Amino acid sequence: MPSVENVLVKIPVTEEQAAAMMATMSSATFDFAASVGDTSHLPRTPKLDLSPERVDQADVILGNVEPALIEASPRLQWIQLGSAGYEAYLAPGVLDPSTIVTNGSGAYGPAVAEHSFAMLLSLMKRLPAYRDDQRGHVWTDEGMASSLAGARVLVLGAGDIGLCFARLCTAVGATCVGVRRHVPSSTSPEHARAFERVVAMDELTQELPKADVVASFLPSSDQTRGLVGAEFLGSMKPGAYLVNAGRGDLIDQAALLAALEEGRIAGAALDVTTPEPLPQDDPLWDAPNLIITPHVAGFWHLHSTLERVVALATDNLGRFARGEGLRNLVRG
């Protein structure tokens, strides 16, 4: 069993959840930096003023501490991130090479998928235009609508979130094709039900012109940054829709603005941008047929997401104490 004296918890927990965590390592001291109590009203972890000294004392961290505060602490044995994203923690100088990293992948599927699905349907049914009409007290017909029934949906990133999104689309009659960086040799029953097929990234150029909807849940990487540029948008089917709830740096926003203004695609829905927050004077705000939400699909806006993250962290804490393999291992 690893020797753990101090556990820093930056994930909001209830008193019952805090007790369950402490029971997994009864000899350790727990520092609950975030809220302990009713967490049902928290859309995200409250901002905390953590000192470097407080972070330096931790053998284990549960939650996302500012990378700059860790400063490659040689004491830190393991960090369980609350987020699915982990890129900032693998940057040089953030963590000691021996520090184990696990993430919150698998907790965010329903929340991000439902948010993305809602934005897509809003565009297809012209709800933003009708909302504008309502505010202007205007009774008018905004014209033709689109449907997911019979549509072909290309899902970039067919992991947990992409799978949940494909289930929603399939349920209303769409056909989904998934795109993954690494296609497994065998398809899981869940993927087989949600996707017509799952292909590798090198087949993207063949699938792109066929899609009525392109939805991305890809993480940021050298291969994905700037992927959706003028060439990509020009290859999309005329009248198709674009959804991005992965990372903002996927999209060349100037190219997207041009595609929307010229009507080459029917609309776009973004929960992520570059930078964040999007500057008030950015021309993207005024693009036609575009919905922007301020990176709120995830976090704890759906309370069940936080409950999943806490359950994962508690389970992994017990595994770590017993010297067992950890779930969602990113590096270790």
Side-chain angles (χ1 to χ4, degrees):
M1 172 179 172
S3 176
V4 175
E5 296 180 11
N6 297 307
V7 179
L8 174 63
V9 182
K10 194 174 175 280
I11 305 170
V13 293
T14 65
E15 292 183 2
E16 182 180 2
Q17 290 167 337
M21 285 182 172
M22 290 188 289
T24 64
M25 286 187 178
S26 56
S27 62
T29 298
F30 280 73
D31 177 3
F32 291 95
S35 303
V36 177
D38 179 16
T39 61
S40 62
H41 63 290
L42 296 175
R44 62 179 67 204
T45 301
K47 288 190 178 295
L48 303 171
D49 187 18
L50 288 177
S51 67
E53 293 75 22
R54 196 171 176 183
V55 175
D56 284 345
Q57 294 174 1
D59 301 292
V60 170
I61 295 175
L62 306 181
N64 291 41
V65 169
E66 285 294 327
L69 291 176
I70 298 174
E71 295 180 336
S73 167
R75 177 167 184 163
L76 182 62
Q77 300 174 37
W78 162 48
I79 181 168
Q80 167 69 60
L81 300 174
S83 63
Y86 53 81
E87 296 86 0
Y89 294 87
L90 299 188
V94 174
L95 295 174
D96 186 87
S98 65
T99 302
I100 299 168
V101 181
T102 54
N103 71 349
S105 179
Y108 293 88
V112 179
E114 288 176 8
H115 185 97
S116 302
F117 188 73
M119 287 199 294
L120 174 60
L121 279 184
S122 294
L123 281 171
M124 298 181 87
K125 303 306 177 184
R126 298 187 179 275
L127 298 189
Y130 287 114
R131 179 63 176 180
D132 291 343
D133 292 340
Q134 178 182 343
R135 287 175 174 162
H137 302 185
V138 175
W139 185 280
T140 190
D141 188 326
E142 291 291 348
M144 301 298 291
S146 302
S147 177
L148 275 169
R152 189 170 184 84
V153 179
L154 188 62
V155 181
L156 310 185
D160 174 58
I161 298 172
L163 175 60
C164 287
F165 182 78
R167 284 174 179 154
L168 293 173
C169 294
T170 302
V172 295
T175 298
C176 296
V177 173
V179 179
R180 301 189 71 163
R181 287 177 293 178
H182 307 290
V183 179
S185 55
S186 60
T187 303
S188 70
E190 294 82 4
H191 279 78
R193 285 191 291 269
F195 293 101
E196 179 185 71
R197 62 197 189 104
V198 177
V199 302
M201 285 292 289
D202 58 10
E203 294 189 49
L204 177 59
T205 54
Q206 287 77 43
E207 293 295 334
L208 188 57
K210 307 173 190 176
D212 300 292
V213 175
V214 178
S216 177
F217 308 101
L218 291 170
S220 178
S221 71
D222 292 340
Q223 291 71 41
T224 63
R225 279 187 286 274
L227 174 66
V228 179
E231 182 179 355
F232 184 105
L233 292 162
S235 298
M236 287 177 63
K237 186 177 182 179
Y241 294 87
L242 175 68
V243 178
N244 186 22
R247 289 293 179 266
D249 61 11
L250 175 86
I251 295 177
D252 177 339
Q253 291 173 180
L256 175 60
L257 177 61
L260 290 168
E261 289 180 336
E262 295 167 14
R264 283 187 274 119
I265 62 174
L270 310 178
D271 186 53
V272 288
T273 62
T274 303
E276 293 181 1
L278 189 66
Q280 288 188 338
D281 60 353
D282 194 294
L284 200 63
W285 286 110
D286 298 313
N289 300 317
L290 174 66
I291 297 177
I292 298 174
T293 55
H295 205 152
V296 293
F299 296 101
W300 323 132
H301 291 86
L302 193 63
H303 183 59
S304 59
T305 304
L306 176 57
E307 293 179 324
R308 288 188 182 91
V309 169
V310 172
L312 171 64
T314 305
D315 180 54
N316 263 351
L317 198 61
R319 290 168 178 262
F320 192 76
R322 297 186 297 271
E324 299 174 359
L326 301 179
R327 294 165 57 192
N328 289 9
L329 188 66
V330 172
R331 190 187 76 177

